[in-house]
Amino acid sequence: WKSYLHPAGFWGFTRIRVGLNSTDNRPPLYFWLLHLWVWVFGVHLWSGPLLNTLLALGTGLALFLLARRVLRSELQASLVTALWIVSHQVVTVSMWARDYELLALFGVLLALVLHRLVDTSRESKWPDAGCLAFAVAGALLSHYEAALFVLVAIVAAGLIVVWQHCARRLWHLLVGGALGLAAFVVLDPGFLASFERQRGQTSALHVPAILARLGNTISSLESFYWWINQPPLEATTRAYGRGRPEALAILALLVAALLVLAAVPNARHRLARWVRRRTACDWLLVAVGLAAAATTLGGYLLMQVPVYAMGTRYLALLWPFLALGTVCVLRLLPRSSLLMAVFIVLFVVAPMTIH
């Protein structure tokens, strides 16, 4: 067994790819990086977590750059990054030598590249197409669930560029997306076998199971903020869920709150003014956030993945966009500066003392 603690050689990339396609349903990029990592530093208990920590630092930098473009404030962008990086859910992702941290990195990079591409305040250039190709290929080679995320994000950006009547940007978008897809197919030609294996993990749709999964989903989402009663570490592999009645009650309360909000005239007027003030870049970010939610939560609720796939690492793609969305919502509320100060104390400073 000690032979497994030492790489068999430097050029093991094809064997890694073929092994993953024949026995698992994962793309090879993360495991190529892990192979290089342990070839240089050896196999230790800290090997995977340290590599993931470096990837998380890259994600944090990309998230800060994206949030600064969206919020136009370095302070608020720092709040977004801090909220993401101190969350218990995010911290536990790095403890596993798996590809979810890499998926989060390329997900944020893709959002950043597309945000720059549709931004009419700057001129689109061919390097943008190259960056897009890199982000698309990296996301697809990180995790197969990224296929839906990439598709929705690219289509949303394409619709926005068509609405802008900018042929140059559309050309860069199409070329970058096509090059990224081509690179993915060339580097991982056996990906269809993994797709077939993933299909075998689906379950039949029935209401009790969907309600149980809804409870798991609500628990995972609320624990992104609620640091006092965190689940144990094994929650990263086993969903810690609410009961079905409690899940139904929470869902009913959310629907009732939305109905009450829609019935208040001032709220409707504020919402209408907010919608009119949104730019193309804002709508792109909304689409990318919804794509991340559909990729992680949608597949789970539609029984396309096993029941345990609501642990912390399975939502790694969603966490950065949830942090950004949270700060965006705080900006819309009255006395947003005061609310952000309270939010920093409760959900950023306090969790740092716990961790």
Side-chain angles (χ1 to χ4, degrees):
W1 59 269
K2 292 184 179 180
S3 63
Y4 291 104
L5 299 180
H6 304 279
F10 181 79
W11 296 107
F13 303 104
T14 301
R15 184 171 53 185
I16 292 172
R17 174 180 59 79
V18 173
L20 288 169
N21 286 332
S22 59
T23 61
D24 206 338
N25 53 359
R26 299 179 184 277
L29 181 57
Y30 176 81
F31 299 96
W32 286 344
L33 294 176
L34 186 61
H35 170 70
L36 293 175
W37 185 259
V38 299
W39 187 76
V40 174
F41 298 104
V43 179
H44 307 279
L45 291 176
W46 48 262
S47 299
L50 182 57
L51 174 60
N52 288 343
T53 301
L54 296 178
L55 294 174
L57 291 177
T59 305
L61 176 60
L63 180 60
F64 174 80
L65 295 176
L66 175 63
R68 187 176 63 177
R69 288 184 60 85
V70 174
L71 304 174
R72 303 184 186 281
S73 167
E74 291 191 354
L75 178 60
Q76 294 177 10
S78 300
L79 173 58
V80 171
T81 308
L83 173 61
W84 170 77
I85 208 164
V86 303
S87 169
H88 177 274
Q89 301 284 56
V90 175
V91 171
T92 56
V93 173
S94 297
M95 296 181 180
W96 295 79
R98 293 293 187 270
D99 44 18
Y100 301 99
E101 202 73 75
L102 188 63
L103 173 62
L105 171 60
F106 277 106
V108 177
L109 284 177
L110 180 63
L112 178 60
V113 171
L114 290 176
H115 195 276
R116 286 170 51 86
L117 191 62
V118 303
D119 185 3
T120 55
S121 66
R122 59 179 296 276
E123 182 182 357
S124 178
K125 300 178 180 179
W126 277 112
D128 294 323
C131 292
L132 178 60
F134 174 76
V136 168
L140 294 176
L141 286 168
S142 299
H143 200 285
Y144 290 127
E145 285 186 355
L148 177 61
F149 174 75
V150 170
L151 176 63
V152 174
I154 293 290
V155 169
L159 292 175
I160 290 174
V161 170
V162 169
W163 177 73
Q164 292 173 334
H165 302 288
C166 185
R168 181 181 180 86
R169 295 179 189 276
L170 181 61
W171 182 245
H172 290 168
L173 178 68
L174 294 177
V175 170
L179 288 176
L181 179 60
F184 163 67
V185 173
V186 169
L187 292 173
D188 189 19
F191 68 93
L192 289 178
S194 295
F195 280 8
E196 291 293 333
R197 191 172 296 104
Q198 174 65 37
R199 206 170 291 158
Q201 297 183 349
T202 60
S203 304
L205 288 171
H206 56 285
V207 174
I210 294 176
L211 290 179
R213 290 187 175 219
L214 179 62
N216 292 340
T217 302
I218 293 172
S219 294
S220 284
L221 292 178
E222 75 173 10
S223 66
F224 178 75
Y225 307 100
W226 193 242
W227 47 269
I228 294 178
N229 232 345
Q230 285 294 341
L233 183 58
E234 59 264 24
T236 54
T237 55
R238 187 184 68 234
Y240 56 102
R242 296 182 178 277
R244 296 168 190 167
E246 190 175 4
L248 272 179
I250 292 176
L251 185 62
L253 286 174
L254 290 176
V255 173
L258 291 176
L259 291 176
V260 170
L261 185 63
V264 178
N266 289 338
R268 293 202 305 269
H269 294 156
R270 287 174 63 89
L271 180 61
R273 287 197 302 269
W274 180 84
V275 170
R276 286 193 296 268
R277 289 198 299 265
R278 294 310 95 197
T279 65
C281 294
D282 294 332
W283 290 119
L284 171 70
L285 194 64
V286 170
V288 171
L290 291 176
T295 300
T296 53
L297 307 181
Y300 183 76
L301 294 175
L302 293 176
M303 317 290 285
Q304 297 302 302
V305 295
V307 67
Y308 56 78
M310 192 42 61
T312 58
R313 67 179 187 269
Y314 297 99
L315 300 185
L317 177 63
L318 180 62
W319 299 139
F321 300 103
L322 187 59
L324 178 56
T326 299
V327 176
C328 289
V329 170
L330 287 176
R331 281 163 50 99
L332 299 176
L333 300 176
R335 301 183 181 274
S336 59
S337 298
L338 177 60
L339 285 173
M340 285 189 185
V342 174
F343 200 86
I344 291 173
V345 172
L346 291 180
F347 299 104
V348 177
V349 177
M352 290 177 69
T353 62
I354 297 295
H355 294 154

